Structures are given as structure tokens and as C-alpha cells.
């Protein structure tokens, strides 16, 4: 990193990778001749859960505390049985596709063998998506750094 960008890598690791400080990647990419565009869509629903299908059961593997799944009381190892009264299948997101952020879905789960029905708010996806594109007219310094970063030098 030090040879490509004027950032001290020890400081970089201490400040961003060993802490919760948000990393400003836009500045890094601009310095090497790449335009980075951030985009987030507050209208996209994100429940904040990880899942896997085990023996035809939709099992929650992780829950992000900042999103609807946690707010509504879902936990890792819960089995999602139904959403809004419809049995879940591989296309379970279609059950609530017509809903909007801040709407609520009724989720029936099995937790340690006990059936529960929870009201789960649909929360907005706050993750930022970044698209990268090479600058059409990078300056000489940016071009040199980009070539180094890409391993062309």
C-alpha cells in the first residue's frame, strides 16, 4: 500500500482495521485514478439476517442487531416456518416483495421446538454499494499509481 498510496499502512491498519472507524475508500481510489461512486437505496428492504437451508428448513445463521430481524426478536438457530401465513420456500422473499420499508411482516418460527409468531419490521438496507470505474483522463501520478496497484510495474 505504501508504494501505491501516500498512506502509512501501520496507521491504516490501526485506524480502520483494528477499530470501528469507517474507512473512506473513495479518497484512496481517487488517488490512483479510479472513480468510486457510493450508492445506497433506502427503499430496499434488508432484514439483517444470514440463513441457510438445512434439510429443507430455512434456518437463521446470524442476525444483525441494527435491522428488523433482531428488532422483531429473531435469533440465530431459529427455523423460519411461515411469513404472513405462507409457508416459506426457496423464494420466500417473494412473500413480502410487495411490502415497503417500515411495514411489518408476521414471521412464524420454531425455536427449540416451540412455535412462536413474531412481528418483524422491514428495515432499509443501509449498506453503501461502491462502483469503480477507471478515470477517463487520469493525471500522470494517478496513472503510475494505478499501474503499480494493478501489478503492471
Amino acid at each position: 500500500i505504501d508504494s501505491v498510496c501516500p498512506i502509512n499502512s501501520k496507521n491504516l491498519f490501526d485506524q480502520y482495521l483494528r477499530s470501528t472507524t469507517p474507512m473512506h475508500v473513495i479518497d484512496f481510489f481517487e488517488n490512483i485514478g479510479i472513480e468510486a461512486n457510493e450508492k445506497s437505496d433506502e427503499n430496499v428492504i434488508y432484514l439483517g439476517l444470514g440463513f441457510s437451508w438445512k434439510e429443507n428448513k430455512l434456518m437463521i445463521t446470524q442476525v444483525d442487531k441494527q435491522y428488523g430481524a433482531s428488532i422483531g426478536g429473531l435469533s440465530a438457530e431459529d427455523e423460519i416456518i411461515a411469513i404472513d401465513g405462507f409457508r416459506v420456500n426457496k423464494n420466500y422473499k417473494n412473500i413480502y416483495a410487495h411490502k415497503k420499508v417500515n411495514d411489518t411482516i408476521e414471521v412464524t418460527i420454531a425455536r427449540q421446538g416451540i412455535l412462536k409468531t413474531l412481528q418483524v419490521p422491514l428495515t432499509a438496507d443501509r449498506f453503501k454499494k461502491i462502483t469503480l470505474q477507471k478515470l477517463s483522463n487520469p493525471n500522470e501520478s494517478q496513472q503510475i499509481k494505478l499501474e503499480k496497484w494493478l501489478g503492471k510495474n
Side-chain angles (χ1 to χ4, degrees), residues 19-74:
S19 76
T20 57
T21 303
M23 188 173 195
H24 303 287
V25 295
I26 304 277
D27 299 338
F28 169 79
F29 284 114
E30 185 179 309
N31 193 36
I32 63 169
I34 295 177
E35 178 182 16
N37 295 303
E38 277 186 67
K39 180 184 164 195
S40 62
D41 189 346
E42 293 290 322
N43 296 316
V44 173
I45 293 169
Y46 180 66
L47 284 175
L49 59 82
F51 67 90
S52 66
W53 286 92
K54 294 180 186 172
E55 300 171 12
N56 288 323
K57 296 178 182 178
L58 180 58
M59 302 299 296
I60 298 175
T61 56
Q62 65 184 39
V63 177
D64 186 331
K65 292 184 180 183
Q66 301 175 33
Y67 291 94
S70 177
I71 295 166
L74 297 174

Side-chain angles (χ1 to χ4, degrees), residues 8 36 49 69 71 73 90 112 116 121 133 138-139 150 152-153:
N8 179 309
L49 59 82
I71 295 166
K90 300 275 183 183
Q112 298 177 344
K116 292 185 174 197
Q133 181 176 338
N139 64 37
L150 294 174
K152 292 184 178 181
N153 269 356

Side-chain angles (χ1 to χ4, degrees), residues 70-92:
S70 177
I71 295 166
L74 297 174
S75 297
E77 299 184 22
D78 286 348
E79 174 193 356
I80 299 177
I81 296 172
I83 298 174
D84 286 344
F86 293 95
R87 180 88 169 127
V88 295
N89 58 37
K90 300 275 183 183
N91 298 316
Y92 74 94

Side-chain angles (χ1 to χ4, degrees), residues 57-139:
K57 296 178 182 178
L58 180 58
M59 302 299 296
I60 298 175
T61 56
Q62 65 184 39
V63 177
D64 186 331
K65 292 184 180 183
Q66 301 175 33
Y67 291 94
S70 177
I71 295 166
L74 297 174
S75 297
E77 299 184 22
D78 286 348
E79 174 193 356
I80 299 177
I81 296 172
I83 298 174
D84 286 344
F86 293 95
R87 180 88 169 127
V88 295
N89 58 37
K90 300 275 183 183
N91 298 316
Y92 74 94
K93 290 182 180 179
N94 291 342
I95 296 170
Y96 60 89
H98 66 284
K99 300 222 176 191
K100 296 180 173 69
V101 171
N102 297 323
D103 286 348
T104 301
I105 56 176
E106 185 178 87
V107 181
T108 303
I109 62 164
R111 180 178 294 158
Q112 298 177 344
I114 300 170
L115 292 177
K116 292 185 174 197
T117 300
L118 303 169
Q119 300 300 313
V120 177
L122 299 176
T123 46
D125 183 353
R126 295 186 304 268
F127 286 100
K128 293 180 181 169
K129 280 63 169 182
I130 298 176
T131 57
L132 304 176
Q133 181 176 338
K134 184 178 174 185
L135 289 176
S136 57
N137 195 17
N139 64 37

